[in-house]
Amino acid sequence: MSEIRFLGTGGGRMVVLNQLRRSGGFWLKLGNVNILQDPGPGCLVMVHKLRLMPDTLDAIVLSHRHIDHSNDINVLTEAMTRGGFEHRGRLIVPADCLVSDPVVLQYVRPFTEITEIKEGMEIALQDIKIEFPVRNMHPVETYGAIYKFGSGKLGYIPDTEYFPGLTEAYKGVDFLIINVVRMKTDRKIRHLNMNDAAELINTIRPKKAILTHFGLQVLKASPEIQAKNISGKTGVEVIAAYDGLKLMLEGKENLGKWV
């Protein structure tokens, strides 16, 4: 059995700093493999609140170095490695998380295996494959991911401005998670808006799409209403994630059950 658990659905400075939504990223359980994606502020707290076990993690993945995605990376690395006493798991991050002004501290690096993400690379964790299909267009080095597991493919598009290469990169996924910070475009802020999300969903055509990482504009406009509107326009089932949402991933004959 496989599932996603959302540890936070907030994005953007004001939402995160005021914790209008939690900001812990999401936890994937794909068969026997546990992966934590983008452990932002409060991730460790949410992990324990939801009775997840950080020392069962097989990997932690960062899409990029910004605080709302990486704040809890060091404490979760320590938790994954049982206080640093057991060398285990894997840390998968862009190179600029490790160099000048690093978000991954030197202190935790000996505790685990570290892999630098490169555009187009694919890595394996037991029987799970993770592909990083394209570098996003964001102020820092940023990569989304496609998680390939027994019953399908889950795509994650993190922070980026819209560009045509996203469509081709994520074609064929069964599930698509999209970070939608804004309602309208601001060229100074390189994030997807709701129209961009609708265009991506309509062209990629996943079986199900999940919106998350909401900024203040989106919260004011109601993520649930926006998801319903996109469903109506595209014919694709779209939901707005909420803090603590569990999505069960089942066989291809019954892909996806909302809990």
Side-chain angles (χ1 to χ4, degrees), residues 167-239:
T167 300
E168 193 59 36
Y170 289 89
K171 274 284 179 69
V173 300
D174 300 295
F175 297 88
L176 183 62
I177 300 172
I178 306 180
N179 286 2
V180 190
V181 175
R182 299 185 60 83
M183 289 298 298
K184 297 179 180 179
T185 297
D186 182 339
R187 293 300 177 191
K188 296 178 292 185
I189 302 174
R190 303 177 75 181
H191 282 286
L192 295 173
N193 62 37
M194 202 58 69
N195 289 333
D196 296 330
E199 176 67 19
L200 287 166
I201 290 167
N202 193 44
T203 52
I204 294 170
R205 309 297 301 175
K207 294 180 175 65
K208 299 181 187 292
I210 310 104
L211 309 180
T212 189
H213 203 60
F214 306 123
L216 196 57
Q217 287 183 356
V218 179
L219 291 186
K220 288 179 177 179
S222 174
E224 294 74 20
I225 290 174
Q226 300 308 314
K228 184 177 180 180
N229 289 343
I230 295 174
S231 290
K233 291 176 183 176
T234 64
V236 175
E237 184 179 0
V238 183
I239 68 160

Side-chain angles (χ1 to χ4, degrees), residues 175 208-210 237-239 245-248 256-259:
F175 297 88
K208 299 181 187 292
I210 310 104
E237 184 179 0
V238 183
I239 68 160
L245 171 69
K246 182 192 290 185
L247 168 60
M248 306 300 295
K257 175 184 175 183
W258 312 121
V259 177

